Amino acid sequence: MSAPPKSRGEPVTAKRQLVEYLEEGNKPKADWRIGTEHEKFVFDRKTLRSVSYEAPNGIRALLEGLTRFGWERIEENGNIIALAQNGESITLEPGGQFELSGAPLKNIHETCREVGQHLKQVKEVSDELGIGVLGMGFNPKWSRADTPWMPKGRYKIMGDYMPKRGKLGIDMMIRTCTVQTNLDYSSEADMVKKFRVSLALQPIATALFADSPFTEGKPNGYLSYRSHIWTDTDPDRCGILPFVFEAGMGFERYVDYLLDVPMYFVYRDGQYIDASGQSFRAFLEGKLPALPGEIPTTGDWSDHLTTAFPEVRLKRFLEMRGADGGPWERLCALPAFWVGLLYDSTALDAAWDLVKDWSITDHEQLRRDVPKHALKTPFHGRTVQELAQESLAIARAGLQRRGATDLGGMDESGFLNPLQIIADSGKTPAELKLELYRGKWSGSVDPVFSEFAY
């Protein structure tokens, strides 16, 4: 077998190394951090169309313009495709969705400052280019054919493979936006408990953040169509992962799951090699058809971890993936929700008490029904609205106990207020937009691009 490239990490010859890779995510509580990622649509203000990469006011120009703020260029095949600075990165989703992957920060005050600074920079450059930026879960107006693809090698491979495994994978790639939070764990047991609680409550976040009611200018029958899309993307790599709730769940069990998720690609010498549908298990044995005789590196494993799309994803941290994209205040509210639930031990215990008796059938019902009905979803003689209120109360108490205050002495619990309004009113952002569509907007989605742009 040929040796793997050193720049891609250490060679991997045994499953134990893959387990150890995840175990290295264990951190003492003092070192726990908060990472927030959020995507948004970029559009031409005159035509409202999604901008292409190459256009004079397109994605390349936006990336180039942001370099004035000290961002470092990252290129692929001569194209600027990302920016990096101080632990943060700006990356592109396949349809040009613009994503900030935030730095690991200590509290939500820092997170909200980071989000605000990023959006201020993007607005300065986008104003000059005549483009706008919108936070929603699904593009409200434009079709697949109207959506340009970004020049990244992995997206060509994924785009070719997606239609083989589901009807909506291409929509997921080019027409959805999310906000997600990445959180740490201290041990295998801590990871398992947080994984179970967050996976169970992910539909609650989906309901509170539901903001994707339109497809190609018309109501689509869902409140979070983005969430529904994941149910018909690829059954090999999406869903609620029932094994997480079973005895024996741990790092090794998750590795076993990942080894059975078909690969997309291998990255070598600046190029993505198509390995779609092939087995990482075969790769471990030097029998990958795409690279005969080669064995993987830890870099290849890190890449493979990003190609599974469950509602909560394990890397060397846990990713909360259930929320639609939205406005600035909700970009701060999502990390507040999950930090309040998971980073305070009393809150984590209370959240576990809330969900510990739910069956797999319960989890499946919430996953199926919440995208359509959101807070009005019936559950165990109650509604998801009531579960959301209870979850927010647990999270608020958790944030208050954390006691992370800003210079004015305010703790992090205030960042939950936008979600509290939604939960108490029972009306999601999607339902508010539907009311505008049927009333003030007179059956047009076009006003969303002015009234809800950043």
Side-chain angles (χ1 to χ4, degrees):
M1 298 178 195
S2 60
K6 290 184 178 179
S7 62
R8 295 288 293 158
E10 297 299 315
V12 177
T13 57
K15 185 175 81 169
R16 181 65 217 163
Q17 291 170 266
L18 307 181
V19 177
E20 290 170 353
Y21 180 92
L22 296 178
E23 288 174 342
E24 289 171 11
N26 292 336
K27 294 181 180 68
K29 187 171 183 176
D31 293 341
W32 289 356
R33 295 294 182 266
I34 304 158
T36 304
E37 303 179 27
H38 55 92
E39 303 161 357
K40 48 267 182 204
F41 298 107
V42 184
F43 62 92
D44 185 295
R45 289 183 186 169
K46 290 181 180 177
T47 66
L48 305 184
R49 286 185 171 274
S50 302
V51 297
S52 68
Y53 180 82
E54 304 85 1
N57 65 344
I59 298 296
R60 186 209 298 266
L62 179 54
L63 289 169
E64 295 277 7
L66 287 168
T67 60
R68 75 183 67 167
F69 299 109
W71 291 92
E72 177 186 347
R73 301 160 59 101
I74 298 172
E75 296 188 356
E76 180 182 310
N77 296 325
N79 292 316
I80 180 172
I81 51 124
L83 302 169
Q85 179 180 237
N86 301 327
E88 303 172 61
S89 62
I90 293 173
T91 56
L92 305 178
E93 292 300 300
Q97 306 98 310
F98 212 68
E99 177 175 3
L100 176 72
S101 296
L105 301 173
K106 291 183 179 180
N107 57 60
I108 314 299
H109 306 294
E110 293 181 357
T111 296
C112 222
R113 282 196 293 272
E114 175 188 71
V115 171
Q117 181 183 44
H118 169 71
L119 293 177
K120 182 179 179 182
Q121 292 177 359
V122 169
K123 183 154 178 49
E124 179 179 316
V125 178
S126 62
D127 282 351
E128 295 169 6
L129 295 172
I131 56 180
V133 183
L134 174 69
M136 283 184 72
F138 189 77
N139 192 308
K141 185 173 176 69
W142 302 108
S143 68
R144 289 186 188 181
D146 292 317
T147 306
W149 283 75
M150 297 298 105
K152 292 178 68 172
R154 65 184 286 171
Y155 294 156
K156 173 69 167 66
I157 294 168
M158 292 171 65
D160 290 343
Y161 182 75
M162 282 288 180
K164 300 174 183 177
R165 299 299 297 135
K167 296 176 182 176
L168 300 178
I170 298 297
D171 289 321
M172 178 277 290
M173 292 182 70
I174 66 174
R175 292 204 283 173
T176 64
C177 282
T178 186
V179 50
Q180 71 177 48
T181 299
N182 306 326
L183 299 178
D184 290 316
Y185 46 81
S186 62
S187 64
E188 183 170 56
D190 186 49
M191 178 277 292
V192 171
K193 189 169 185 177
K194 287 173 174 170
F195 207 149
R196 288 171 174 167
V197 167
S198 58
L199 197 55
L201 290 178
Q202 213 62 218
I204 310 306
T206 300
L208 286 167
F209 284 76
D211 197 359
S212 42
F214 304 115
T215 299
E216 296 172 27
K218 303 292 183 185
N220 54 34
Y222 290 85
L223 299 176
S224 177
Y225 188 62
R226 181 207 61 84
S227 182
H228 169 69
I229 281 171
W230 286 108
T231 67
D232 197 1
T233 290
D234 184 341
D236 294 330
R237 65 187 79 242
C238 304
I240 60 165
L241 308 185
F243 69 82
V244 170
F245 300 100
E246 297 171 359
M249 170 57 188
F251 293 122
E252 184 172 5
R253 182 66 187 85
Y254 194 80
V255 166
D256 286 335
Y257 157 70
L258 254 294
L259 287 173
D260 289 326
V261 171
M263 294 177 65
Y264 279 144
F265 57 80
V266 182
Y267 187 70
R268 289 289 184 273
D269 301 321
Q271 300 295 321
Y272 287 94
I273 298 167
D274 191 344
S276 54
Q278 296 176 27
S279 165
F280 207 96
R281 292 184 191 274
F283 201 4
L284 283 174
E285 299 171 0
K287 298 177 181 177
L288 190 72
L291 283 175
E294 280 207 31
I295 56 173
T297 66
T298 51
D300 295 323
W301 178 240
S302 176
D303 285 345
H304 187 55
L305 287 170
T306 69
T307 66
F309 308 124
E311 292 295 282
V312 176
R313 180 162 65 186
L314 175 62
K315 295 182 183 174
R316 283 171 164 167
F317 46 84
L318 287 165
E319 293 182 349
M320 313 296 133
R321 298 170 47 81
D324 285 4
W328 177 80
E329 62 182 8
R330 291 209 301 276
L331 303 183
C332 305
L334 185 79
F337 180 71
W338 289 116
V339 167
L341 290 170
L342 303 184
Y343 271 12
D344 174 79
S345 59
T346 301
L348 183 58
D349 287 342
W352 176 239
D353 284 341
L354 183 63
V355 305
K356 65 184 179 183
D357 294 328
W358 296 0
S359 67
I360 293 302
T361 301
D362 291 332
H363 296 300
E364 290 172 345
Q365 183 228 317
L366 287 172
R367 181 69 191 88
R368 180 185 66 246
D369 294 348
V370 163
K372 185 177 281 284
H373 304 293
L375 295 170
K376 295 179 176 62
T377 305
F379 185 74
H380 284 198
R382 308 166 72 195
T383 63
V384 166
Q385 179 182 5
E386 293 170 83
L387 285 174
Q389 291 171 316
E390 193 165 347
S391 299
L392 283 167
I394 295 170
R396 188 176 294 276
L399 293 173
Q400 290 168 344
R401 280 188 294 269
R402 263 171 59 84
T405 56
D406 63 11
L407 293 176
M410 300 293 290
D411 65 32
E412 299 161 301
S413 62
F415 291 109
L416 294 176
N417 291 346
L419 302 184
Q420 196 71 54
I421 292 169
I422 293 167
D424 290 344
S425 70
K427 194 171 289 186
T428 62
E431 287 164 297
L432 291 173
K433 286 185 174 68
L434 286 166
E435 286 182 1
L436 288 167
Y437 173 85
R438 292 170 180 136
K440 176 183 167 187
W441 294 352
S442 303
S444 171
V445 298
D446 288 4
V448 80
F449 291 94
S450 54
E451 293 187 26
F452 288 91
Y454 289 113

